[in-house]
């Protein structure tokens, strides 16, 4: 049995790879925590902050505590209290979240509902039919085939301007004057195979960055630096942005976010005259053959799913995704989905999915000097106010009881076909990005 508590001595230097929610919140917590008073802290990212193609930078992220798992519900509620009060509250909006489903995904909805109700609050409204959903969300059209569909709105949920909140956190970290920020692409961990120790990283221009402890928080790119086969994989999710008029925005901006778990598609309230539609689905994989990140042999390779691009500009959404987003919009707001209204832009945004949906926040079992903080699974953003604290607790051997075991490095690798998933994904299964890019929508 892994122990949930162990002794810890602060390293003299820590290098964090990645300035997303995992990496930046960890830097913040290290600055605040006296144990690390004498530790030098470096944060490296391949992009200048804020990295526009990272998963932590976007117009919006949903903040909700309605999880099918009680520990995450409690943690999200704690994070939400901070969003409301001291943690970038100017970027947080409490509009409510309406979750609906028809078919098998109803199970997730009912389980979440049970948890949310066990938290014993009263701002929940159960939606029994499509007319209820229409009234609450302000959609133009009731779902025609929603017979038997179930949903609820939790008026205590909200959304946050993700980029705004990340910029706020970055400036808070800068105030400590402790963190050395470096822009550079890490190409490899420096691994000594005789001692099984990681002593830092090598950048693209061959510069080494040496540290006693390396924290790998590279999000969906993590599998390019560590063999994550059978543990975690990158999946691409769609985002599209539709320009709306100020009047259209005024009509919808105080309405709840609408999430249809059956398709994974959701619609955020418009902000800055942009309406965002996205899909929380099984996503696209992008199998890529790369040099084996842990092998000493230069000819060893492995094939893993990785983000497909290096800039937002070259990450267009495949026709299938644009079609799905437009069909969803047309089913709820026909006037916004007419062909004469093109999307302003679209993007594929990458999750790092683990097989259960749980994060991985743990010391690497094989390498001394390496800690991993990743596996956002499309749901980590809301935890930003508490995530760094969780990472540092796990790092120092004080794993919160709720999460004991849940976030540990998996003891065995499991073939992807056998992954259970987190139960919250809807929509198409098994799509490969390269195939979808060249597939015409008419084949759907
Ligand atoms: C479309 C979409 C919708 C989402 N919606 C929600 C939501 O509604 N609510 C919610 O709570 N969560 C949501 N999430 C999830 C949440 O945004 C992610 O879980 C979280 O942002 C992941 O953060 P991260 O730090 O792991 O990754 P990232 O933010 O991607 O950070 C990783 C960083 O590492 C850097 N990096 C990568 N490789 C290297 C390298 N080799 N060298 C140097 N730097 C490197 C990258 O540039 C990047 O900045 C959503 C995610 C997506 C994609
Ligand atoms: C930091 O260094 C100072 C001076 O060497 C020492 O007195 C102090 O105990 C150290 N603090 C920690 C937390 O290690
Ligand atoms: C959600 O999507 C499913 C599948 O397309 C659809 O049948 C249903 O009407 C939608 N709405 C609700 C409320 O479930
Ligand atoms: C809805 O969510 C909030 C936080 O997101 C949670 O604390 C609360 O218990 C839920 N509300 C209801 C009414 O169940």
């Amino acid at each position: 049995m892994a122990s949930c508590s162990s002794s810890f001595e602060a390293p003299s230097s820590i290098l964090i790879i990645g300035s997303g929610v995992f990496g930046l919140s960890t830097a913040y917590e290290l600055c605040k925590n006296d144990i690390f008073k004498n530790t030098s802290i470096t944060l490296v990212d391949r992009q200048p902050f804020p990295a526009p193609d990272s998963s932590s930078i976007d117009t919006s992220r949903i903040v909700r505590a309605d999880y099918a798992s009680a520990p995450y519900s409690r943690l999200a509620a704690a994070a939400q209290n901070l969003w409301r009060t001291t943690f970038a509250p100017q970027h947080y909006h409490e509009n409510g979240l309406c979750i609906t489903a028809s078919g098998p995904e109803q199970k997730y909805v009912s389980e979440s509902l049970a948890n949310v109700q066990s938290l014993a609050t009263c701002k929940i409204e159960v939606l029994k039919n499509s007319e209820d959903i229409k009234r609450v969300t302000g959609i133009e059209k009731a779902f025609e085939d929603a017979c038997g569909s179930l949903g609820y709105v939790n008026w205590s949920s909200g959304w946050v301007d993700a980029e705004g909140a990340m910029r706020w956190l970055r400036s808070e970290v800068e105030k400590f004057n402790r963190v050395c920020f470096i822009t550079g692409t890490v190409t490899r961990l420096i691994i000594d195979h005789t001692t099984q120790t990681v002593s830092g990283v090598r950048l693209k221009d061959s510069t080494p960055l040496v540290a006693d402890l390396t924290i790998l928080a590279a999000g969906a790119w993590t599998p390019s630096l560590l063999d994550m086969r059978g543990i975690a994989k990158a999946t691409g999710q769609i985002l599209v942005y539709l320009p709306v008029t100020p009047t259209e925005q005024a009509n919808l901006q105080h309405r709840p976010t609408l999430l249809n778990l059956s398709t994974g598609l959701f619609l955020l309230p418009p902000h800055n005259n942009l309406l965002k539609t996205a899909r929380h689905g099984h996503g696209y994989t992008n199998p890529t053959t790369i040099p084996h990140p842990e092998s000493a042999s230069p000819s060893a390779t492995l094939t893993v799913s990785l983000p497909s691009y290096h800039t937002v500009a070259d990450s267009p959404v495949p026709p299938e995704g644009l079609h799905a987003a437009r069909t969803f919009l047309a089913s709820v707001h026909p006037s916004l989905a007419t062909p004469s209204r093109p999307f302003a832009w679209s993007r594929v945004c990458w999750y790092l999915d683990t097989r259960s949906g749980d994060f991985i926040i743990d010391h690497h079992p094989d390498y001394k000097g390496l800690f991993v903080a990743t596996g956002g699974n499309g749901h980590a953003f809301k935890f930003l106010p508490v995530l760094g604290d969780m990472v540092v607790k796990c790092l120092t051997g004080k794993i919160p009881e709720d999460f004991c075991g849940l976030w540990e490095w998996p003891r065995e690798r499991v073939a992807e076909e056998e992954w259970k998933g987190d139960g919250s994904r809807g929509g198409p299964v098994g799509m490969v990005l390269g195939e979808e890019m060249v597939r015409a929508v008419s084949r759907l």
Side-chain angles (χ1 to χ4, degrees):
M1 279 298 290
S3 148
C4 270
S5 171
S6 55
S7 67
F8 177 81
E9 201 173 311
S12 65
S13 52
I14 295 183
L15 170 68
I16 302 168
I17 309 170
S19 190
V21 296
F22 281 93
L24 190 61
S25 67
T26 299
Y28 182 52
E29 195 58 33
L30 292 175
C31 291
K32 293 203 300 186
N33 192 319
D34 273 351
I35 303 176
F36 298 96
K37 225 172 168 167
N38 297 339
T39 302
S40 75
I41 307 164
T42 304
L43 177 55
V44 61
D45 200 288
R46 55 188 245 296
Q47 298 261 34
F49 187 85
D53 56 353
S54 70
S55 41
S56 303
I57 302 300
D58 190 13
T59 52
S60 49
R61 288 286 177 263
I62 299 169
V63 177
R64 62 181 172 96
D66 337 37
Y67 271 85
S69 143
Y72 285 103
S73 286
R74 285 192 286 270
L75 188 64
Q80 201 171 15
N81 283 335
L82 295 170
W83 284 119
R84 289 190 181 118
T85 51
T86 53
F87 196 98
Q90 67 275 32
H91 295 295
Y92 174 69
H93 310 266
E94 204 156 283
N95 283 41
L97 169 65
C98 173
I99 298 187
T100 69
S102 47
E105 291 79 15
Q106 281 193 13
K107 186 167 180 285
Y108 184 88
V109 172
S110 349
E111 281 172 14
S112 299
L113 195 51
N115 263 326
V116 151
Q117 282 169 340
S118 73
L119 292 175
T121 42
C122 51
K123 282 171 130 184
I124 197 121
E125 200 174 333
V126 176
L127 308 172
K128 296 200 182 66
N129 53 50
S130 55
E131 275 305 320
D132 275 357
I133 296 170
K134 179 167 184 269
R135 173 178 51 77
V136 155
T137 59
I139 58 176
E140 283 170 32
K141 221 175 129 186
F143 304 96
E144 276 151 13
D145 58 344
C147 194
S149 64
L150 170 81
Y152 67 92
V153 61
N154 183 339
W155 291 108
S156 303
S157 296
W159 65 274
V160 65
D161 172 346
E163 179 173 340
M166 287 295 285
R167 284 182 184 276
W168 177 89
L169 180 58
R170 164 83 180 213
S171 73
E172 290 300 303
V173 175
E174 282 171 2
K175 282 182 196 163
F176 288 98
N177 221 354
R178 285 274 316 276
V179 178
C180 169
F181 295 97
I182 294 179
T183 302
T185 300
V186 172
T187 49
R188 285 186 86 76
L189 300 174
I190 302 173
I191 304 175
D192 181 336
H193 289 282
T194 54
T195 58
Q196 292 287 86
T197 303
V198 168
S199 60
V201 303
R202 203 164 286 284
L203 300 183
K204 208 175 191 169
D205 64 1
S206 301
T207 317
L209 295 177
V210 172
D212 284 352
L213 177 72
T214 300
I215 299 182
L216 181 54
W221 289 268
T222 302
S224 68
L225 298 173
L226 200 60
D227 183 358
M228 302 297 284
R229 288 173 300 174
I231 291 175
K233 65 169 175 183
T235 65
Q237 310 286 335
I238 62 165
L239 290 173
V240 303
Y241 303 84
L242 183 84
V244 295
T245 64
T247 314
E248 288 166 339
Q249 173 161 310
N251 285 338
L252 291 175
Q253 67 184 348
H254 301 298
R255 297 292 192 159
T257 296
L258 173 64
L259 166 63
N260 184 338
L261 272 180
S262 298
T263 56
L265 284 150
F266 60 101
L267 195 65
L268 268 296
H271 186 60
N272 295 334
N273 297 323
L274 276 182
L275 181 76
K276 179 176 119 177
T277 303
R279 185 169 59 197
H280 176 66
H282 301 282
Y284 309 110
T285 54
N286 182 45
T288 311
T289 300
I290 53 164
H292 193 303
E294 292 174 44
S295 174
S297 153
S299 58
T301 59
L302 54 73
T303 301
V304 286
S305 178
L306 282 174
S308 56
Y309 56 84
H310 300 286
T311 62
V312 169
D314 56 39
S315 69
V317 167
E320 169 282 329
L322 293 175
H323 180 76
R326 199 162 271 284
T327 307
F328 175 56
L329 257 185
S331 76
V332 290
H333 291 295
S335 72
L336 302 180
T338 59
S340 62
R341 300 186 65 163
F343 296 127
W345 55 291
S346 72
R347 143 186 192 205
V348 176
C349 174
W350 295 83
Y351 292 178
L352 186 66
D353 278 329
T354 62
R355 55 192 190 235
S356 57
D358 293 303
F359 308 148
I360 299 174
I361 308 180
D362 199 2
H363 295 273
H364 192 282
D366 299 337
Y367 303 118
K368 290 190 278 290
L370 180 63
F371 190 85
V372 180
T374 191
N377 285 276
H379 71 106
F381 198 94
K382 67 183 68 63
F383 299 108
L384 183 62
V386 294
L387 196 56
D389 179 35
M390 294 295 120
V391 172
V392 169
K393 284 199 165 95
C394 293
L395 174 64
T396 55
K398 300 193 176 72
I399 304 164
E401 205 178 315
D402 256 3
F403 294 100
C404 193
L406 269 194
W407 292 339
E408 72 188 13
W409 182 271
R411 270 166 247 186
E412 52 198 48
R413 297 178 189 257
V414 174
E416 281 172 23
E417 308 77 66
E418 290 162 35
W419 292 13
K420 283 208 263 322
D422 61 11
S424 76
R425 309 298 172 88
V429 181
M431 292 186 294
V432 176
L433 185 66
E435 292 169 8
E436 295 306 327
M437 284 314 290
V438 296
R439 179 170 297 176
V441 178
S442 58
R443 285 194 46 193
L444 288 175

